[in-house]
Amino acid sequence: MEELRNIHHSAQEGRLEEALLRRVLDFARHRPFHAFHSLRWRLLLGLLPVNVEAGRHFHEWEECTRAGIRDWNEMNDNLQQRLVATDSAVRPVEKKGLVSKDEFSSFSSSSSCPDDGESRTVENPLLPGVGSLYALRYCVDTIRATAQKDLDRLHWDFPLFEKSTTRKALMDLIVNYCLRHDYEYKQGMHEIAAFIFYLNHTDSALLEEISKSPEEADKALIDGFGRICPINGVMAMTFSLFENVMGGSGLRLYEWYHSSEEYARDGIATASHRTQRELLAEFDPVLHHQMNVVYEIEGTSYLIRWLRLLYLREFSIPQCADLWDVFLSERFLARHDDYSLNNSIVTMLAASMLFYVKQDLMVGCIDALKRLMKYPPVEDVGTLVEMTIMQQDPKKNGIGRYFTPPERHELFGSKTPPPMEETSALATSSALLSPIEVMNQQGTILASIIARLELLWMPSSDAMSNDAGHAAETHARTIEELKKVRDVLLFSNGSKTHYA
Amino acid sequence: MEDTNLTFKVVIIGDSGVGKSNLMTRYTANEFSQDTPATIGVEFMTKSIKIEGRDAKVQIWDTAGQERFRAISRSIYHGAKGAMLVYDITNQTSFDSIPTWLQELRVFVPATCSIFLIGNKCDLEHLRVVKKEVADRFARENGLSFLETSALEKTNVEKAFEWLAKSVYDLVVAPVDAAGGRRPPLNAAANAKRPVNLGASNDGQAAGKKENTSRCC
């Protein structure tokens, strides 16, 4: 509910964009799985307008939702009707020059099936004409034959996926998407679709559940969002999100599935090579050399799965929801500028992940490959996000402005440095203090940083429990805090005071 | 005789859904799962074995059945000493794809690569559509060894991999040893031994199998 209240109030006040980004990118707060990720993503992808006139958000979002449901129903109903028509067709349309081997070819009566206006180019001259219903049936059957194997092997441990209606719904989505965009089905698309479907369904079902016994004060809020995330609109919302995650106006994930050239500039092979050869070198030249020169590991061997599935097999569902929040926030901030998936946080995250398990990767080639094939569970993806954003946006011109890194004070027990909020508050209020007080305050912060660094080098019961990953986390966070101290000392009002 | 441990790479290829991943996990970890998800990219596992009294490690690379980019194929096939071409005996299309897989494989692997044709899911005899004789003939015509397996019932899985390992040893390792460490010409190595056709009906190993006479449709 807090999520809905936050969205509602900030939209009412006309400041939704800023509030949404800060909330979505806040890894210091607890991040509940039921944070209405599907709603966030629709906003970040522009499926629901963010720059909505103050106070009119419910009306406009409801209109967008209704339009989306109408479009999906029309498209899917039209497809199903045409498929039924193929079953009752007298005979398929025969194009000039094509010889039909259909069993109905001996019929002399002419076909009454209408052609549609599809402009798809026929590459195989032996295939039926593009406009015919038979061609449609052939395309659908081809998509279904390959996608069905993968959907049958989708064994996510949720009751939702045991329903045959769920598999049919996902199949309909995949078929409609491939036909509309003239793409073949590619393995992995089924999991992207399933993940989006699951989150849409979870969010809509949650709203429906809450609406049965709402707090009086929240009733209008729940009613409003109930029409924006309706349970009977889950397929429509899923299709819209899937189409945008895959498509050019969104993440452009299709480039990693459907590039026609092997080394297309934005293809999966190029992305894999770039990640392991260029981005990793930026992170850690030693690890880069080990992976590329000593081991000669091909990036495609593990990155195809990491990247095409946007890490769905590497992290838990809730963690992936949080990661996608970051990916789509970056996309939102890019607006109409050139957005390149190959040069995004998605690929930089892979380099961070390699660095995070450097200790395992340095042991030997076989152990490294095993680790790449089965990435270890990560307690808090916020640490990986932090490393990634610092590398991607070190000057905080873009996404770094809105990102709040996770707290890790519990790692150091009684020597906990000040909590982030307190540190930020101190930094913010420094202008009100005298120059000497500012210097003393920053000196205190430096002392806590030094104490933390000493812990990493001096054995103690706490320090022994740390691993290389924690060292990397501490390193990243320490740099961040040192930058803040630098900024305060160099740029605050206090620095302008001259001493006698 | 070299004392170094042997390590060699084996790739498993074939259409999506024929059982490649379960063949790998059955052999390396003795696990079969009805819940195996579609392979995206590649999967990798290793198994330590003894061959001719020596310790050896087999690296097994399981591939996605839908991947067609050569740039990606090249990296997967690079260095492979053995390959399994897998089809599903209940799926004619998967057998019809074998020539395409074989053609692609031969672009990337050396002539000394040992290639096995594997007809998986032989536990589903009642659903069989690919006759053993047809596959056997294809294997002989193309110089492949042939074996039918069931990853589900663990039939011939161990045997397939160990014969493949033995074949790799005989074709690649033994000639090097025999030549005192000097690597023989590829042509000589390629001709050193014809692949054993493990699927032949006259093979003693298969004597216990129930004979299936052809029936007219």
Side-chain angles (χ1 to χ4, degrees), chain B residues 78-97:
Chain B
H78 176 71
K81 295 290 197 295
M84 286 187 172
L85 290 169
V86 186
Y87 68 93
D88 174 352
I89 70 162
T90 72
N91 180 342
Q92 181 69 44
T93 301
S94 68
F95 179 73
D96 294 343
S97 297

mmCIF file of all heavy atoms in Angstrom, chain B residues 78-97:
data_model
loop_
_atom_site.group_PDB
_atom_site.id
_atom_site.type_symbol
_atom_site.label_atom_id
_atom_site.label_comp_id
_atom_site.label_asym_id
_atom_site.label_seq_id
_atom_site.Cartn_x
_atom_site.Cartn_y
_atom_site.Cartn_z
ATOM 1 N N HIS B 78 35.151 -25.249 -30.588
ATOM 2 C CA HIS B 78 36.609 -25.095 -30.603
ATOM 3 C C HIS B 78 37.266 -26.075 -29.630
ATOM 4 O O HIS B 78 36.950 -26.094 -28.444
ATOM 5 C CB HIS B 78 36.981 -23.660 -30.229
ATOM 6 C CG HIS B 78 38.455 -23.439 -30.127
ATOM 7 N ND1 HIS B 78 39.275 -23.415 -31.226
ATOM 8 C CD2 HIS B 78 39.263 -23.259 -29.053
ATOM 9 C CE1 HIS B 78 40.521 -23.216 -30.841
ATOM 10 N NE2 HIS B 78 40.549 -23.114 -29.522
ATOM 11 N N GLY B 79 38.171 -26.885 -30.142
ATOM 12 C CA GLY B 79 38.924 -27.792 -29.288
ATOM 13 C C GLY B 79 38.212 -29.084 -28.941
ATOM 14 O O GLY B 79 38.750 -29.904 -28.195
ATOM 15 N N ALA B 80 37.022 -29.301 -29.473
ATOM 16 C CA ALA B 80 36.292 -30.529 -29.123
ATOM 17 C C ALA B 80 36.968 -31.737 -29.753
ATOM 18 O O ALA B 80 37.281 -31.750 -30.939
ATOM 19 C CB ALA B 80 34.845 -30.433 -29.580
ATOM 20 N N LYS B 81 37.185 -32.773 -28.948
ATOM 21 C CA LYS B 81 37.766 -34.015 -29.444
ATOM 22 C C LYS B 81 36.687 -35.047 -29.731
ATOM 23 O O LYS B 81 36.927 -36.025 -30.436
ATOM 24 C CB LYS B 81 38.744 -34.585 -28.404
ATOM 25 C CG LYS B 81 39.967 -33.731 -28.156
ATOM 26 C CD LYS B 81 40.899 -33.736 -29.363
ATOM 27 C CE LYS B 81 42.291 -33.256 -29.002
ATOM 28 N NZ LYS B 81 42.289 -31.836 -28.590
ATOM 29 N N GLY B 82 35.520 -34.850 -29.153
ATOM 30 C CA GLY B 82 34.424 -35.783 -29.360
ATOM 31 C C GLY B 82 33.114 -35.031 -29.449
ATOM 32 O O GLY B 82 32.993 -33.915 -28.934
ATOM 33 N N ALA B 83 32.152 -35.637 -30.135
ATOM 34 C CA ALA B 83 30.853 -34.988 -30.267
ATOM 35 C C ALA B 83 29.756 -36.038 -30.258
ATOM 36 O O ALA B 83 29.937 -37.148 -30.772
ATOM 37 C CB ALA B 83 30.778 -34.175 -31.554
ATOM 38 N N MET B 84 28.637 -35.686 -29.679
ATOM 39 C CA MET B 84 27.442 -36.524 -29.733
ATOM 40 C C MET B 84 26.368 -35.792 -30.510
ATOM 41 O O MET B 84 25.998 -34.668 -30.149
ATOM 42 C CB MET B 84 26.921 -36.820 -28.325
ATOM 43 C CG MET B 84 27.753 -37.812 -27.561
ATOM 44 S SD MET B 84 26.919 -38.223 -26.013
ATOM 45 C CE MET B 84 27.958 -39.562 -25.452
ATOM 46 N N LEU B 85 25.906 -36.417 -31.576
ATOM 47 C CA LEU B 85 24.778 -35.901 -32.342
ATOM 48 C C LEU B 85 23.551 -36.634 -31.826
ATOM 49 O O LEU B 85 23.420 -37.841 -32.021
ATOM 50 C CB LEU B 85 24.951 -36.204 -33.830
ATOM 51 C CG LEU B 85 26.039 -35.468 -34.593
ATOM 52 C CD1 LEU B 85 26.225 -36.101 -35.962
ATOM 53 C CD2 LEU B 85 25.663 -34.012 -34.739
ATOM 54 N N VAL B 86 22.674 -35.900 -31.158
ATOM 55 C CA VAL B 86 21.552 -36.545 -30.476
ATOM 56 C C VAL B 86 20.240 -36.264 -31.185
ATOM 57 O O VAL B 86 19.967 -35.129 -31.585
ATOM 58 C CB VAL B 86 21.455 -36.064 -29.008
ATOM 59 C CG1 VAL B 86 20.377 -36.844 -28.263
ATOM 60 C CG2 VAL B 86 22.799 -36.220 -28.304
ATOM 61 N N TYR B 87 19.444 -37.309 -31.366
ATOM 62 C CA TYR B 87 18.075 -37.131 -31.841
ATOM 63 C C TYR B 87 17.163 -37.929 -30.921
ATOM 64 O O TYR B 87 17.616 -38.707 -30.083
ATOM 65 C CB TYR B 87 17.918 -37.581 -33.304
ATOM 66 C CG TYR B 87 18.061 -39.066 -33.519
ATOM 67 C CD1 TYR B 87 16.942 -39.915 -33.521
ATOM 68 C CD2 TYR B 87 19.320 -39.646 -33.697
ATOM 69 C CE1 TYR B 87 17.073 -41.283 -33.691
ATOM 70 C CE2 TYR B 87 19.457 -41.013 -33.867
ATOM 71 C CZ TYR B 87 18.330 -41.830 -33.864
ATOM 72 O OH TYR B 87 18.456 -43.188 -34.021
ATOM 73 N N ASP B 88 15.871 -37.715 -31.071
ATOM 74 C CA ASP B 88 14.852 -38.350 -30.245
ATOM 75 C C ASP B 88 14.154 -39.392 -31.118
ATOM 76 O O ASP B 88 13.615 -39.055 -32.169
ATOM 77 C CB ASP B 88 13.883 -37.249 -29.779
ATOM 78 C CG ASP B 88 12.669 -37.767 -29.028
ATOM 79 O OD1 ASP B 88 12.460 -38.998 -28.971
ATOM 80 O OD2 ASP B 88 11.919 -36.928 -28.510
ATOM 81 N N ILE B 89 14.169 -40.658 -30.697
ATOM 82 C CA ILE B 89 13.611 -41.707 -31.553
ATOM 83 C C ILE B 89 12.113 -41.547 -31.770
ATOM 84 O O ILE B 89 11.540 -42.165 -32.665
ATOM 85 C CB ILE B 89 13.905 -43.119 -31.006
ATOM 86 C CG1 ILE B 89 13.108 -43.373 -29.727
ATOM 87 C CG2 ILE B 89 15.396 -43.346 -30.805
ATOM 88 C CD1 ILE B 89 12.991 -44.844 -29.370
ATOM 89 N N THR B 90 11.466 -40.702 -30.946
ATOM 90 C CA THR B 90 10.027 -40.482 -31.106
ATOM 91 C C THR B 90 9.732 -39.231 -31.927
ATOM 92 O O THR B 90 8.579 -38.827 -32.050
ATOM 93 C CB THR B 90 9.321 -40.331 -29.737
ATOM 94 O OG1 THR B 90 9.676 -39.064 -29.159
ATOM 95 C CG2 THR B 90 9.738 -41.433 -28.783
ATOM 96 N N ASN B 91 10.784 -38.607 -32.474
ATOM 97 C CA ASN B 91 10.609 -37.333 -33.174
ATOM 98 C C ASN B 91 11.367 -37.385 -34.498
ATOM 99 O O ASN B 91 12.584 -37.220 -34.536
ATOM 100 C CB ASN B 91 11.127 -36.196 -32.276
ATOM 101 C CG ASN B 91 10.993 -34.827 -32.916
ATOM 102 O OD1 ASN B 91 10.830 -34.708 -34.126
ATOM 103 N ND2 ASN B 91 11.078 -33.795 -32.101
ATOM 104 N N GLN B 92 10.631 -37.610 -35.586
ATOM 105 C CA GLN B 92 11.266 -37.741 -36.900
ATOM 106 C C GLN B 92 12.029 -36.480 -37.289
ATOM 107 O O GLN B 92 13.101 -36.543 -37.889
ATOM 108 C CB GLN B 92 10.196 -38.051 -37.960
ATOM 109 C CG GLN B 92 10.762 -38.240 -39.367
ATOM 110 C CD GLN B 92 11.584 -39.508 -39.487
ATOM 111 O OE1 GLN B 92 11.177 -40.558 -38.988
ATOM 112 N NE2 GLN B 92 12.729 -39.426 -40.141
ATOM 113 N N THR B 93 11.461 -35.317 -36.954
ATOM 114 C CA THR B 93 12.109 -34.060 -37.326
ATOM 115 C C THR B 93 13.506 -33.956 -36.726
ATOM 116 O O THR B 93 14.429 -33.453 -37.369
ATOM 117 C CB THR B 93 11.253 -32.868 -36.861
ATOM 118 O OG1 THR B 93 9.961 -32.965 -37.468
ATOM 119 C CG2 THR B 93 11.890 -31.549 -37.252
ATOM 120 N N SER B 94 13.652 -34.438 -35.494
ATOM 121 C CA SER B 94 14.958 -34.322 -34.845
ATOM 122 C C SER B 94 15.985 -35.206 -35.549
ATOM 123 O O SER B 94 17.165 -34.869 -35.602
ATOM 124 C CB SER B 94 14.862 -34.681 -33.361
ATOM 125 O OG SER B 94 14.585 -36.060 -33.173
ATOM 126 N N PHE B 95 15.550 -36.323 -36.112
ATOM 127 C CA PHE B 95 16.479 -37.168 -36.871
ATOM 128 C C PHE B 95 16.766 -36.535 -38.231
ATOM 129 O O PHE B 95 17.904 -36.559 -38.715
ATOM 130 C CB PHE B 95 15.903 -38.578 -37.059
ATOM 131 C CG PHE B 95 16.809 -39.477 -37.846
ATOM 132 C CD1 PHE B 95 17.981 -39.967 -37.277
ATOM 133 C CD2 PHE B 95 16.516 -39.822 -39.160
ATOM 134 C CE1 PHE B 95 18.833 -40.790 -38.004
ATOM 135 C CE2 PHE B 95 17.362 -40.640 -39.891
ATOM 136 C CZ PHE B 95 18.520 -41.123 -39.311
ATOM 137 N N ASP B 96 15.743 -35.934 -38.828
ATOM 138 C CA ASP B 96 15.938 -35.287 -40.127
ATOM 139 C C ASP B 96 16.910 -34.113 -40.035
ATOM 140 O O ASP B 96 17.496 -33.706 -41.040
ATOM 141 C CB ASP B 96 14.598 -34.794 -40.680
ATOM 142 C CG ASP B 96 13.653 -35.945 -41.000
ATOM 143 O OD1 ASP B 96 14.132 -37.101 -41.096
ATOM 144 O OD2 ASP B 96 12.437 -35.697 -41.143
ATOM 145 N N SER B 97 17.078 -33.564 -38.838
ATOM 146 C CA SER B 97 18.013 -32.440 -38.647
ATOM 147 C C SER B 97 19.461 -32.896 -38.510
ATOM 148 O O SER B 97 20.373 -32.070 -38.596
ATOM 149 C CB SER B 97 17.644 -31.653 -37.390
ATOM 150 O OG SER B 97 16.381 -31.070 -37.507
#
